[in-house]
Amino acid sequence: MDLGLASSRNRIIMAAKSMVHFLVDVSESMDGLAGVEGTGSKLDIVKSMIVTHVCQRKLTSKTFEVAVTSFGDRNTSNHMQTEDGYDNINQIVKMDVPDQNFTQEILKMNYSGSGVANNESTIAALMVTFDAMIKAKANYKYNRIMVMVTDGES
């Protein structure tokens, strides 16, 4: 006997407030060609994926927030940069409802060309992202999702 509970449960899950924090590898290896015909870089495909995902989520949810942080970057701009070991991590977009500038900020993201990403910077980037997600709207109930995108070569 179906009481319709499954469908109402799915609506509750879909309607929940959510935060997605993308952590993107921008080291030199992400400049390599990818795709079916090898016409775009790996980073171009990642940027397209992020913009598409955010646009789709924005259409289906009023309570969706997003942030984007890069690691293996030449720049360092994050809330933990004053401590040792958190270099080459750049918070491109802080956690907020995506606005009209979001796509522009993502498309400006470039690979570093310096190959500074390594196991230590990857772990440090995970720590910075995790800490940012905990601190963002700390007193609110959100589904907090971290998406790390790398080619695994750095």
Side-chain angles (χ1 to χ4, degrees):
M1 183 167 118
D2 182 18
L3 300 175
L5 296 177
S7 61
S8 64
R9 182 177 180 269
N10 288 340
R11 274 183 266 155
I12 291 169
I13 291 171
M14 298 271 298
K17 295 179 180 180
S18 63
M19 295 178 172
V20 177
H21 199 133
F22 289 98
L23 180 57
V24 181
D25 180 0
V26 294
S27 64
E28 190 171 9
S29 65
M30 291 296 283
D31 190 42
L33 295 179
V36 176
E37 295 153 11
T39 56
S41 72
K42 297 171 191 175
L43 187 57
D44 290 337
I45 291 171
V46 170
K47 291 189 290 188
S48 175
M49 182 266 307
I50 291 172
V51 170
T52 302
H53 177 79
V54 168
C55 288
Q56 288 175 349
R57 290 293 300 265
K58 219 172 145 178
L59 290 172
T60 60
S61 175
K62 295 177 186 174
T63 57
F64 170 68
E65 296 190 16
V66 66
V68 179
T69 300
S70 65
F71 68 98
D73 205 327
R74 281 180 278 205
N75 302 322
T76 300
S77 176
N78 65 73
H79 68 283
M80 294 173 71
Q81 70 188 29
T82 56
E83 300 176 34
D84 288 340
Y86 298 102
D87 300 329
N88 308 112
I89 302 166
N90 186 17
Q91 190 164 15
I92 297 167
V93 178
K94 294 186 187 279
M95 187 65 71
D96 204 355
V97 176
D99 60 8
Q100 63 272 14
N101 296 325
F102 177 82
T103 302
Q104 294 170 357
E105 293 297 320
I106 298 306
L107 295 178
K108 284 194 284 186
M109 187 170 41
N110 291 318
Y111 78 99
S112 68
S114 62
V116 293
N118 56 39
N119 287 338
E120 290 175 11
S121 68
T122 303
I123 293 168
L126 284 166
M127 291 172 62
V128 167
T129 303
F130 187 69
D131 189 64
M133 289 185 73
I134 290 171
K135 290 180 178 176
K137 310 267 194 285
N139 296 328
Y140 294 90
K141 291 185 179 181
Y142 275 84
N143 291 330
R144 298 170 196 269
I145 303 163
M146 183 187 322
V147 180
M148 182 176 186
V149 185
T150 181
D151 61 356
E153 294 181 21
S154 348

